[in-house]
Amino acid sequence: MLQQPVQSFDHARAFAQRTKVRVGIAADRFSGRATGDSDVISLNFGLPDEGLFPIPDLMESVSRAVHVRRALQYGGATGTARLSGMVADKCSQLCKVPISSEEVLITSGSSQAFDLISRLFLDPGDDVWVEEPTYFGALHGFSLNGATLRGFPMDEEGLLVDAVEQELKAREATGGAMPKLFYVIPNYHNPTGLTMSLERRKQLGELAMKYKFYVLEDDAYGELGFGATTIQPIKSIAPEFTLYISTFSKTIAPGFRLGYVVAPRSIIQMLRFVKAEGGTSGFAQEVMANLLETLDYDQHLRTVRATYRARRDAMLEALAEDSSVNWTWTEPEGGFFVWVTLPDGYQTSALWDYALRESVSFVGGDAFYVSGKGGNRMRLSFSYYPPNIIREGIQRLRCAVHAYADTL
């Protein structure tokens, strides 16, 4: 019989301390609050609706791809040049700056993009600055690479860049450490749903150029806006100091595990060097390139946006229809999420058990903070369920809050 190493848990604890890993923020565990109960309305899952996946077009794209043997071979994971070119063309139009395929790296989802960038830029103890709150999966990835995290507050226009500028000036004056990266989600932010104003994007881009740090711009939800206009990316303001990442997961299907980084060519070359897993699936890239060649992508996006807008509206209406719960919420102009704030003194960690009794779930706010705040906040996702189920979920959540409040 093989003997279990007695020091394995000690090693795990030592690793956690060395990398400052925070328990409960790994993306695959949804803040430790996942539930497999089919009766639970899972408002914690930021999942796209499978009914929006373009299945007929995908079947045709797969059929074409299986005949490209190179895509199934070792080395096929370098991918078809078509997909990098398509991404470059799309980002050139979006950013209003010329981008070549040599400035694009296709990754195994945007999560791998976080990891590669962290490997390349960070030594243990290096500063990564973030909006607070921010996406817990990114916090987890930075922590795994030993980063020292610092959060900056937000308001209805997104990141408070004035606070960032003050800290940069203070560190410059005292010789303090500057950030290596500043991670932001400017469009339909996860978890708050907020959108950073153009003025603040310009201000942050200018600070990056002045103080020589890189903005890591996560635009996972940028194509899911419900209005007629979009705000230009930070990449268009400070192209040499912005690492732009996005994904096909929210608009096509997450099972492809395809994302991308757009960055200066020299950085893309170095990211390729640290990309040690053997390459992003060449077959998946071939299928995606086929799909984008044949799919009416603009019409597909119109359908996706209209669907999610109706679900956003249903959630906001349900939150507002009964004032017996003293909560407030954001009103996102796109994306997947609404950010709910309960009165001071409430703790969503304690509310969780009451919510499960009512068969509804959420993600507690503390998972999105590096400062230990957010205990009275929660993220709700409207993307997965039709409007009638969303309304039922909010009603269940309201009942859970009432039951919890009776114990305070």
Side-chain angles (χ1 to χ4, degrees), residues 87-275:
V87 170
D89 290 345
K90 181 173 76 168
C91 291
S92 294
Q93 295 176 18
L94 176 67
C95 298
K96 303 296 190 294
V97 294
I99 293 170
S100 72
S101 58
E102 288 77 19
E103 297 171 277
V104 175
L105 176 64
I106 304 298
T107 60
S108 300
S110 57
S111 296
Q112 188 186 45
F114 295 136
D115 182 57
L116 295 175
I117 290 168
S118 296
R119 288 188 207 176
L120 181 62
F121 281 88
L122 301 179
D123 293 315
D126 282 345
D127 274 31
V128 174
W129 292 1
V130 300
E131 300 159 311
E132 192 170 51
T134 194
Y135 171 47
F136 55 74
L139 295 179
H140 187 68
F142 297 137
S143 295
L144 285 172
N145 285 280
T148 298
L149 298 171
R150 164 71 188 268
F152 289 83
M154 305 174 70
D155 65 11
E156 65 277 2
E157 293 186 41
L159 174 70
L160 289 171
V161 186
D162 283 346
V164 177
E165 184 170 13
Q166 290 174 6
E167 181 65 17
L168 288 167
K169 289 179 177 178
R171 295 201 178 195
E172 182 181 45
T174 60
M178 292 293 178
K180 289 284 189 71
L181 301 170
F182 202 120
Y183 173 68
V184 293
I185 312 171
N187 293 318
Y188 325 123
H189 180 266
N190 180 3
T192 67
L194 296 168
T195 296
M196 189 187 299
S197 68
L198 176 59
E199 291 75 16
R200 294 190 185 177
R201 295 178 195 220
K202 290 179 177 178
Q203 185 181 3
L204 184 61
E206 290 165 358
L207 290 174
M209 291 185 286
K210 178 178 179 179
Y211 290 97
K212 308 301 187 221
F213 62 85
Y214 283 92
V215 176
L216 179 50
E217 182 176 18
D218 183 356
D219 198 20
Y221 304 94
E223 292 185 297
L224 298 179
F226 305 147
T229 60
T230 58
I231 303 177
Q232 68 186 91
I234 301 168
K235 177 69 175 176
S236 67
I237 299 163
E240 295 301 313
F241 288 90
T242 304
L243 314 174
Y244 178 91
I245 63 176
S246 191
T247 177
F248 293 103
S249 294
K250 309 302 187 291
T251 56
I252 300 296
F256 275 96
R257 304 310 305 136
L258 288 178
Y260 50 89
V261 183
V262 181
R265 185 178 307 181
S266 59
I267 292 176
I268 293 296
Q269 290 173 342
M270 290 186 286
L271 288 172
R272 291 184 188 279
F273 181 76
V274 299
K275 196 174 186 293

Side-chain angles (χ1 to χ4, degrees), residues 41 67 105 141 154 175 220 230 284 336 338 382:
I41 298 176
H67 296 291
L105 176 64
M154 305 174 70
T230 58
F336 282 5
V338 171
F382 54 79

Side-chain angles (χ1 to χ4, degrees), residues 56-66 286-287 290-291 294:
D57 297 275
L58 281 171
M59 292 176 66
E60 174 61 26
S61 298
V62 170
S63 179
R64 290 171 54 197
V66 296
E286 188 73 27
V287 173
N290 291 343
L291 179 69
T294 59

